Amino acid sequence: MEFAYSPRCQDYLDKVRAFMDAHVYPNEATYAAQLAANGLERWQPLPIIEELKEKAKAAGLWNLFLPESEDGAGLSNLDYAPLSEEMGRVLWSSEVFNCSAPDTGNMEVLARYGTAEQKERWMKPLLAGEIRSAFLMTEPDVASSDATNISCSITRDGDEYVINGRKWWSSGAGDPRCKIYILMGKNDPDAVRHQQQSMILVPAGTPGITVVRPLNVFGYDDAPHGHMEVRLDNVRVPASNMLLGEGRGFEIAQGRLGPGRIHHCMRTIGAAERALELMVRRAMSRVAFGKRIADQSVWHHRIARARIDIESCRLLTLKAAWMMDTVGNKVAQKEIAMIKVAAPAMALKVIDDAIQVFGGAGVSQDTPLASAWAGIRTLRLADGPDEVHERAIARMEMKRLSNEG
């Protein structure tokens, strides 16, 4: 594995960093002010995001995540990883570059598995940043960590499918720009276990859809994006909205979640990097009991451990990205699972230490630390909880040793 970034990656990285310095960091206060000013109208797009999107598009920093489409930058997973890390330093900045979840995963699904008609109707406006999307998989009535438990039904009725069920943690469904859902449901309970599920396109606003409520994350509602509970009562969509074919839901999910996990992990590493910078600057600037906090030995340990842990997670994540590019997602599944466990745990520890050195300010809105901690804590559950990935890692290790005799 080559550890140096490719010339193309370095060029994009320099541009993303320059854009963040010129346009994103200076507008963090503007973002917060506009969000607060929305008040009861919080479920509306923020003007600063739309303004910065146009700047990013004009700078050629658009759809950087999508390697398989002529509409993207054509970067490999390995080349995109450090760009995603840089965006992760500010939680909302990925949207500025049209590189935010769940749109990235949904565009990848449409790019890989969509028909020409589906791509024209949904992928094209998503790539242009004209609309947003949601991914409906998790359900409140079953243990969704085992996706075979999914009970939302998809039933064929002539030239249509009828959908019934409840979904929650449907990220993005609260945004008024959200026009399309990708929904995973069960179409054949009698089929082989991993061929019972399908994915289907459901236009937002279709009769029978009720967006019940936003779900808060440690008190944050993440407006205007939101994580919504959604009820579907006899929702009818054309049969042509089925993705790839009946019973192919798990196949699509595996293709979608691999790159998505890389993106989550790199953004998480970016958040940890920023937390470490804030921690060090605060420790060097504050005096307690007659000397700088930075001169207390406990902070030497915390700062050193943060640097070691960030570097370790970055290298493991880059290895996973490199393997995805060279040998494919299936062969890289153990490395993908490892980073999905390691990166959020690492970042939560670094952010927690940063909160500690800031004292009361660390848990307030005066730093990005509290919201970063809340958002990243969800990643120990999203895209599969830690325990599911650890189970997979352990089983692969046991299989490897069994094969070796």
Side-chain angles (χ1 to χ4, degrees):
M1 178 181 175
E2 176 60 57
F3 284 91
Y5 294 149
S6 72
R8 191 160 185 237
C9 170
Q10 189 62 58
D11 180 56
Y12 270 108
L13 184 56
D14 291 342
K15 291 176 181 177
V16 169
R17 283 175 173 163
F19 190 96
M20 295 284 289
D21 288 340
H23 302 295
V24 175
Y25 300 127
N27 280 301
E28 286 186 277
T30 303
Y31 178 93
Q34 289 183 358
L35 189 61
N38 272 358
L40 295 177
E41 300 297 322
R42 351 186 351 91
W43 303 97
Q44 295 296 324
L46 299 183
I48 189 61
I49 293 290
E50 301 307 309
E51 177 187 326
L52 294 183
K53 279 183 176 180
E54 293 305 314
K55 292 181 183 294
K57 193 181 293 188
L61 300 174
W62 193 253
N63 295 332
L64 301 174
F65 70 95
L66 196 60
E68 298 177 3
S69 169
E70 60 186 18
D71 298 289
L75 296 170
S76 65
N77 287 299
L78 185 60
D79 281 344
Y80 176 67
L83 311 184
S84 186
E85 176 185 333
E86 202 66 28
M87 297 172 201
R89 293 170 63 89
V90 176
L91 291 182
W92 49 264
S93 74
S94 294
E95 185 185 350
V96 168
F97 304 95
N98 212 36
C99 291
S100 59
D103 295 337
T104 49
N106 290 343
M107 285 186 267
E108 285 170 338
V109 164
L110 289 165
R112 293 183 182 184
Y113 309 113
T115 65
E117 180 184 355
Q118 291 166 350
K119 290 177 182 178
E120 179 65 24
R121 184 175 179 188
W122 302 116
M123 183 177 170
K124 191 172 180 180
L126 280 169
L127 286 167
E130 297 167 357
I131 66 172
R132 296 210 64 188
S133 63
F135 185 61
L136 278 60
M137 185 171 179
T138 306
E139 298 181 7
D141 297 328
V142 299
S144 300
S145 56
D146 178 358
T148 60
N149 285 334
I150 284 171
S151 61
C152 180
S153 65
I154 304 174
T155 306
R156 184 72 181 253
D157 183 18
D159 292 334
E160 295 179 317
Y161 284 100
V162 183
I163 305 166
N164 283 281
R166 292 172 65 208
K167 297 288 186 179
W168 71 348
W169 297 111
S170 303
S171 297
D175 194 318
R177 298 166 297 178
C178 179
K179 302 302 180 186
I180 186 67
Y181 305 155
I182 295 182
L183 177 142
M184 185 163 174
K186 186 169 291 189
N187 69 280
D188 185 359
D190 298 320
V192 176
R193 189 175 179 217
H194 286 87
Q195 295 176 9
Q196 298 177 2
Q197 294 78 17
S198 300
M199 285 198 190
I200 194 164
L201 295 166
V202 183
T206 301
I209 294 175
T210 303
V211 178
V212 178
R213 58 172 177 154
L215 297 162
N216 290 354
V217 178
F218 296 106
Y220 295 95
D221 61 13
D222 287 339
H225 183 64
H227 312 284
M228 315 306 280
E229 180 179 342
V230 181
R231 189 172 67 244
L232 303 104
D233 299 307
N234 295 316
V235 174
R236 290 180 171 270
V237 299
S240 59
N241 282 24
M242 180 64 68
L243 283 164
L244 200 58
E246 290 188 7
R248 310 284 295 269
F250 265 89
E251 180 182 344
I252 297 171
Q254 290 308 306
R256 182 187 190 280
L257 293 175
R261 287 169 182 153
I262 285 280
H263 302 169
H264 276 318
C265 290
M266 292 308 295
R267 285 192 292 266
T268 298
I269 291 166
E273 277 284 7
R274 191 167 190 208
L276 176 56
E277 288 180 13
L278 291 169
M279 183 200 311
V280 172
R281 292 184 188 281
R282 178 76 168 190
M284 292 171 61
S285 66
R286 305 289 275 198
V287 174
F289 303 104
K291 62 180 179 180
R292 295 186 311 168
I293 292 174
D295 295 327
Q296 309 281 354
S297 62
V298 66
W299 288 101
H300 297 167
H301 169 74
R302 289 171 178 170
I303 292 168
R305 285 307 317 177
R307 172 49 62 207
I308 292 166
D309 293 344
I310 289 172
E311 295 295 332
S312 299
C313 277
R314 179 183 289 114
L315 288 172
L316 183 57
T317 304
L318 291 174
K319 179 190 177 187
W322 171 73
M323 290 183 67
M324 289 167 67
D325 291 333
T326 56
V327 295
N329 295 4
K330 188 172 183 179
V331 178
Q333 60 183 316
K334 182 167 69 173
E335 283 70 20
I336 294 171
M338 288 192 290
I339 62 169
K340 180 57 176 61
V341 174
M346 173 278 296
L348 289 172
K349 179 64 171 70
V350 175
I351 294 168
D352 188 68
D353 284 343
I355 288 171
Q356 196 71 11
V357 78
F358 272 88
V363 295
S364 77
Q365 69 270 41
D366 289 350
T367 76
L369 297 170
S371 60
W373 193 95
I376 290 170
R377 180 59 182 84
T378 67
L379 294 184
R380 293 191 57 208
L381 300 167
D383 289 352
D386 288 357
E387 293 81 1
V388 169
H389 296 293
E390 288 168 348
R391 175 177 179 264
I393 295 163
R395 293 175 72 176
M396 282 184 271
E397 282 298 293
M398 290 186 279
K399 182 178 180 181
R400 178 179 66 84
L401 290 174
S402 295
N403 291 340
E404 290 179 1

